[in-house]
Amino acid sequence: MTQSAPNPASSATLDTPRKPTVMDVAKKVGLSHTAVSLALRGRPGVSPKQQQRIRQAAAELGYQPKAAAQMLRSGRTGYIGLLLEPGGPEMLTHSASSNCILSYFLHVCQHCQRRYNVEFYHQNPDGFQPPHQLAGSLVDGLLLGGFIDAQLRKWLIDQPHYKWVSVDEPGPYAVLSDINIGIAQAVKQLYDMGHRRIAYGGGPYHYRQHEIGRMGYLTGMSNLGLPVDESWIGRFGSMPQVPQMQNSKNQRQWVQNLLKQPNHPTAFIGNGVGVARNTLVQALTMGLRVPEDISIMAVGVSTSAMDTCPAFSTIENDYHTIMKTALDMLVQLVDGKTVKQNEVHVNPVIVMRESVGPIQV
């Protein structure tokens, strides 16, 4: 009986020891793999004593961080960061803007083959601390997604080391949606359909999108010579100061008070699909029809607008263009190139659907 010869490839595979990894080094020194990676890349965030321990352990294990060495030589991590307001998943559920910023950031990064890091920034009650992305030198540059703590914004402005671009909020480098132009255009479209009594609801107005939305409403009404009643401008709070259920009740109460008036609004613009939806529910509860008796428009995205029947007409931020422009601007800053425009404005689009119709005579 003949004996088959052993497979050299299989023998080599079995006999070759596994190469050590950064996780092996971390286990040996009892630290996180993030701390080990930072130390081996020569980045701040790890004490000199710990760095020495890590390097010694890496040498003993025979770990050779080729990628880390390349990043150390280049001074780059290869990662782009996104910083969002605190609240995590719950905030994303109720904040359409944060949800869209995150979604399109991921889409654009993957399309451009950019590695990324996402963080929800929480202010430390014991004193200011920079985001983990920056404190740990985990990213080459940062996009600030929407409203961010004022103390952090000031810290970023005062320091020269980190490159960052603000999305939909002002900053030294910023990409902004001109939602005010979209709302002024929406007022004009409603006017052309015969509407003269138009109400607007939004807030809180410390968010740029809501404040400039209000200004767009006022501009649109003024351009057409339409009177503005301050009680027709809804002002609503935000989580966690005002719970979502209470916010919805406040919105419905505002709509109810207006619709009880003899000369009530014939059209509503809600800065947010939630405001528009509560307007619709209250109008239906009071026996009014949409759009035969009142028309409703929303600042929002198509997916949310079409979840409702009738589907809302929308004023939509062009988040794909916003995030692509912001990422391009940040990459130029990281590469040390001159940015031609420090502030770029992106026009929204209006999509007409079933919730808007001509005034009934």
Side-chain angles (χ1 to χ4, degrees):
M1 182 174 62
T2 58
Q3 183 177 9
S4 60
N7 186 327
S10 301
S11 177
T13 302
L14 292 173
D15 296 337
T16 302
R18 180 179 64 85
K19 289 184 178 180
T21 68
V22 68
M23 297 300 294
D24 296 323
V25 180
K27 184 177 180 181
K28 184 175 179 64
V29 296
L31 295 173
S32 69
H33 75 280
T34 300
V36 171
S37 179
L38 289 173
L40 295 175
R41 285 162 40 207
R43 312 296 287 184
V46 183
S47 71
K49 184 177 180 180
Q50 296 284 41
Q51 288 185 29
Q52 185 177 357
R53 284 183 57 217
I54 291 169
R55 291 194 182 98
Q56 182 178 349
E60 291 173 358
L61 291 172
Y63 174 66
Q64 296 179 347
K66 295 180 180 179
Q70 292 171 358
M71 286 187 284
L72 179 59
R73 287 193 296 270
S74 67
R76 300 283 185 86
T77 67
Y79 281 80
I80 295 295
L82 173 66
L83 203 65
L84 293 169
E85 61 183 321
E90 184 176 356
M91 177 58 73
L92 284 177
T93 301
H94 298 290
S95 175
S97 59
S98 293
N99 201 324
C100 288
I101 287 172
L102 174 60
S103 299
Y104 280 96
F105 171 77
L106 298 177
H107 173 76
V108 171
C109 283
Q110 291 173 358
H111 179 75
C112 299
Q113 297 184 336
R114 292 274 177 184
R115 293 183 293 180
Y116 50 83
N117 190 312
V118 178
E119 180 179 353
F120 293 95
Y121 180 71
H122 296 266
Q123 182 60 268
N124 193 319
D126 298 328
F128 174 77
Q129 291 183 0
H132 182 61
Q133 291 182 0
L134 301 184
S137 298
L138 302 178
V139 295
D140 299 322
L142 193 66
L143 295 179
L144 267 64
F147 183 80
I148 296 293
D149 176 80
Q151 190 174 7
L152 170 62
R153 192 175 290 273
K154 182 180 184 303
W155 179 81
L156 285 168
I157 291 173
D158 290 343
Q159 61 78 37
H161 308 294
Y162 302 110
K163 306 302 182 183
W164 59 283
V165 173
S166 188
V167 177
D168 228 12
E169 286 287 332
Y173 295 93
V175 180
L176 309 171
S177 174
D178 280 339
I179 199 66
N180 54 320
I181 294 177
I183 290 178
Q185 291 173 343
V187 171
K188 177 65 166 59
Q189 290 204 17
L190 291 169
Y191 180 90
D192 290 343
M193 292 183 176
H195 296 277
R196 300 295 183 268
R197 303 192 300 274
I198 305 169
Y200 172 84
Y205 290 109
H206 63 268
Y207 289 141
R208 174 186 176 274
Q209 176 165 303
H210 286 278
E211 172 56 24
I212 71 165
R214 185 182 69 89
M215 296 304 297
Y217 165 75
L218 294 174
T219 299
M221 298 289 281
S222 175
N223 289 343
L224 298 169
L226 299 177
V228 174
D229 186 329
E230 283 296 322
S231 68
W232 287 23
I233 301 177
R235 294 171 172 82
F236 311 116
S238 64
M239 294 178 64
Q241 291 82 3
V242 180
Q244 183 66 21
M245 185 177 295
Q246 184 59 50
N247 222 6
S248 296
K249 289 181 179 179
N250 293 343
Q251 292 165 13
R252 289 189 60 180
Q253 185 62 56
W254 171 70
V255 174
Q256 183 184 53
N257 292 341
L258 294 186
L259 293 180
K260 283 182 175 180
Q261 299 177 8
N263 291 320
H264 62 71
T266 60
F268 286 78
I269 299 175
N271 199 333
V273 173
V275 180
R277 188 171 289 123
N278 284 315
T279 302
L280 171 65
V281 170
Q282 187 58 45
L284 296 177
T285 300
M286 298 175 70
L288 298 175
R289 300 167 300 164
V290 176
E292 291 83 1
D293 298 320
I294 66 167
S295 291
I296 303 173
M297 297 189 73
V299 176
V301 295
S302 294
T303 50
S304 298
M306 292 189 292
D307 280 344
T308 304
C309 184
F312 289 127
S313 297
T314 47
I315 307 140
E316 302 188 11
N317 288 326
D318 183 358
Y319 281 108
H320 182 271
T321 300
I322 290 171
M323 297 309 298
K324 179 66 168 61
T325 304
L327 184 61
D328 289 344
M329 184 184 292
L330 181 60
V331 170
Q332 289 178 21
L333 291 172
V334 169
D335 289 342
K337 298 178 181 178
T338 300
V339 175
K340 294 181 180 180
Q341 288 180 271
N342 291 13
E343 186 172 288
V344 177
H345 293 255
V346 179
N347 284 340
V349 295
I350 295 179
V351 182
M352 300 301 289
R353 298 191 181 89
E354 302 165 355
S355 66
V356 171
I359 190 74
Q360 298 294 310
V361 179

